[in-house]
Amino acid sequence: MTVLRSAAAAGPLAGDLTVPGDKSISHRALMLGSLAIGETVIEGLLEGEDVLRTAVAMRQLGAEVAHRADGTWQVRGVGVGALVEPAQVLDMGNAGTGARLLMGVVAAHPITAFFTGDASLVRRPMARVMNPLRQMGARFMARAGDRLPLGLEGAATPLPISYRLPVASAQVKSAILLAGLNTAGRTTVIEPEPTRDHTELMLRHFGATVTVEDGADGRVVSLTGQPELVGRPVLVPGDPSSAAFPIVAALLVEGSDVLVRNVGLNPLRTGLLTTLQEMGAAITVENGRIQAGEPVGDLRVRGTGPLKGVTVPAERAPSMIDEYPVLACLAALARGRTIMHGLGELRVKESDRLTAVAEGLASCGVSVTVDGDTLIVEGDGLAPAGGGHIATRLDHRIAMAFLVLGLATRAPVTIDDDEAIGTSFPGFVGLLNGIGAHIAPIVEGAGGHGTEGAMTA
Ligand SMILES: O=C(O)C1=C[C@@H](OP(=O)(O)O)[C@@H](O)[C@H](O)C1
Ligand SMILES: C=C(OP(=O)(O)O)C(=O)O
């Protein structure tokens, strides 16, 4: 555990950088590679703690997963329906995606597995995946409130279901589709609001038949069960949710000019870019291309001074759900009020992000209100006081969002623990400092929150 401090940069941020691979796509590549026959080579896999937990779990379930000398990952799968019962508990660490998607995979295998996670993950709701998986025939032994740790007895003969999502969640959709893989017949998920479609795209990439139609009730996704999946190469683009941090940093520090290369631009993930453009941000997409079925581009971001406050509609939330903490930090320096609607899901992430963002911004002298599921941040175009000491609550996005805010506040911002950052963005501090940010560890016990130590990022 290291206490970190970020302070206003001496000058504008400048240079180019590449963020690590997409977390959502990385989890899915390891899982589908493990269910395919033959070899899957994954290039650009996110080597963050969350994804490494999935790699270990897939090995425990019988797949061969190897990190090769050239930096790629090689998976030798067992085929749909052929995972083996794990001898040890599957510890998914901090990862909601890893836990929920893998529960879907195991639910349609005739095996029993036990799942657990860290102090954050055991507080998060699992009923949202357990309920549809129960309908498919899986059985659970869980604590009150359907939380981890839990035991899951997969169905020997799983039943196909048609399920309308009660919450907009790509994790729930994906858990059901992954269970549908080893289920005879068609498994259907209806989502009233579209969520990220990496599972659908990758299922097709590995040879499954997935149809997507617009129905009266929303987007209807159907999978034909028991396909033979065949190992395929996977090229993972940079994670737009990670790119959000250097992008916002460049917008916060006037005069910055930063190029973020190789960012995934799947339209179901680009709500933040839409919002930033509405706020007046100078962002251009260069070198737009399709890479392994996913749109990708390089983003040039210029800090041209204060942006304007906007209203972000609730229906945009699924396409930028993980980006609200850093958007709220940017809004603190915008001119006027930024109103973000439809944020109920933020309460059940790695921490209660609505509360964490509101308390953190208030401690930095920013005027902020939570009204039900709406977050309102007031800015006057000037640098906030800063000086807050942020409780990161095992939440990587809270840690990174407030370190970015500290680059533009009058007094430095500190976070109490940098460890969570490694779940999604290993190398974050080094990359940000590489373009001119000032983020440094603090030596505890040297007065106040300590003094700045040697930079080791
Ligand atoms: O499917 C995924 O890979 C994810 C879906 C989102 O969660 P929900 O499905 O809970 O909205 C997102 O917050 C998470 O970081 C990754
Ligand atoms: C919510 C997140 O991830 P997960 O649900 O996988 O823990 C996130 O990365 O912001």
Side-chain angles (χ1 to χ4, degrees):
M1 178 193 295
T2 308
V3 180
L4 286 185
R5 177 174 92 150
S6 62
L13 306 179
D16 63 282
L17 56 88
T18 306
V19 296
D22 190 276
K23 178 157 72 69
S24 296
I25 295 176
S26 295
H27 282 300
R28 288 157 172 81
L30 288 170
M31 290 182 198
L32 288 183
S34 299
L35 291 170
I37 297 287
E39 178 186 276
T40 288
V41 175
I42 310 169
E43 207 177 312
L45 187 88
L46 169 64
E47 291 172 8
E49 181 65 23
D50 277 16
V51 173
L52 297 178
R53 295 280 179 164
T54 292
V56 171
M58 298 325 299
R59 281 191 198 119
Q60 288 177 266
L61 287 158
E64 279 178 39
V65 182
H67 191 194
R68 302 200 300 193
D70 65 0
T72 62
W73 287 72
Q74 182 193 48
V75 183
R76 286 193 169 277
V78 294
V80 168
L83 293 175
V84 300
E85 191 161 274
Q88 296 290 344
V89 175
L90 304 174
D91 184 349
M92 305 313 294
N94 190 251
T97 310
R100 295 193 179 114
L101 269 57
L102 202 51
M103 282 163 65
V105 171
V106 170
H109 279 75
I111 60 176
T112 296
F114 296 88
F115 289 77
T116 193
D118 73 2
S120 157
L121 192 57
V122 300
R123 285 194 293 264
R124 295 177 66 183
M126 293 296 150
R128 53 181 58 200
V129 286
M130 291 162 72
N131 289 337
L133 297 177
R134 281 183 179 116
Q135 288 181 22
M136 296 179 83
R139 299 200 312 173
F140 292 89
M141 168 78 82
R143 295 193 293 134
D146 279 348
R147 292 175 205 269
L148 299 186
L150 59 77
L152 162 49
E153 192 186 329
T157 316
L159 304 168
I161 58 170
S162 176
Y163 193 80
R164 186 176 185 279
L165 293 186
V167 280
S169 167
Q171 292 179 4
V172 179
K173 171 178 63 177
S174 301
I176 297 166
L177 292 174
L178 290 170
L181 269 179
N182 194 35
T183 301
R186 273 165 87 83
T187 295
T188 299
V189 180
I190 303 156
E191 43 178 13
E193 291 168 88
T195 65
R196 65 191 70 192
D197 61 355
H198 305 301
T199 301
E200 297 90 303
L201 295 177
M202 205 181 288
L203 279 166
R204 285 191 187 131
H205 182 62
F206 278 87
T209 302
V210 179
T211 60
V212 179
E213 284 160 21
D214 283 326
D217 217 11
R219 198 167 162 272
V220 183
V221 183
S222 283
L223 167 74
T224 306
Q226 299 183 325
E228 183 169 296
L229 300 184
V230 181
R232 296 293 307 272
V234 178
L235 190 52
V236 183
D239 196 326
S241 300
S242 298
F245 298 102
I247 290 171
V248 169
L251 294 172
L252 281 175
V253 182
E254 200 167 337
S256 296
D257 186 350
V258 170
L259 185 69
V260 189
R261 293 188 191 278
N262 195 39
V263 182
L265 294 175
N266 180 313
L268 292 165
R269 299 286 299 279
T270 51
L272 177 71
L273 291 180
T274 305
T275 304
L276 296 178
Q277 267 146 3
E278 288 173 3
M279 294 174 84
I283 303 180
T284 48
V285 179
E286 298 176 1
N287 193 17
R289 57 205 184 271
I290 300 288
Q291 201 173 275
E294 293 272 357
V296 172
D298 304 334
L299 299 177
R300 179 166 293 282
V301 190
R302 293 189 184 83
T304 55
L307 303 176
K308 60 172 190 289
V310 293
T311 297
V312 188
E315 58 271 20
R316 198 178 292 162
S319 67
M320 55 178 293
I321 192 67
D322 296 337
E323 284 72 87
Y324 284 100
V326 77
L327 173 65
C329 289
L330 178 67
L333 274 93
R335 284 203 182 95
R337 178 177 289 181
T338 296
I339 306 172
M340 293 157 266
H341 289 297
L343 305 191
E345 277 296 295
L346 290 194
R347 295 194 191 280
V348 291
K349 297 296 181 183
E350 283 81 330
S351 70
D352 173 350
R353 288 182 177 161
L354 264 184
T355 303
V357 165
E359 289 181 5
L361 284 177
S363 76
C364 291
V366 178
S367 163
V368 54
T369 315
V370 177
D371 179 10
D373 291 346
T374 298
L375 178 66
I376 305 164
V377 178
E378 310 273 352
D380 55 12
L382 301 172
H389 183 58
I390 308 300
T392 52
R393 308 162 197 237
L394 292 175
D395 192 328
H396 51 133
R397 305 226 187 262
I398 297 301
M400 292 186 280
F402 280 95
L403 287 174
V404 165
L405 178 67
L407 301 178
T409 48
R410 298 203 297 282
V413 173
T414 54
I415 62 162
D416 65 353
D417 183 5
D418 69 338
E419 213 167 288
I421 293 173
T423 61
S424 69
F425 199 158
F428 166 80
V429 172
L431 276 181
L432 269 279
N433 284 345
I435 54 169
H438 284 183
I439 304 174
I442 301 285
V443 181
E444 282 291 4
H449 289 306
T451 53
E452 216 166 285
M455 205 41 256
T456 53

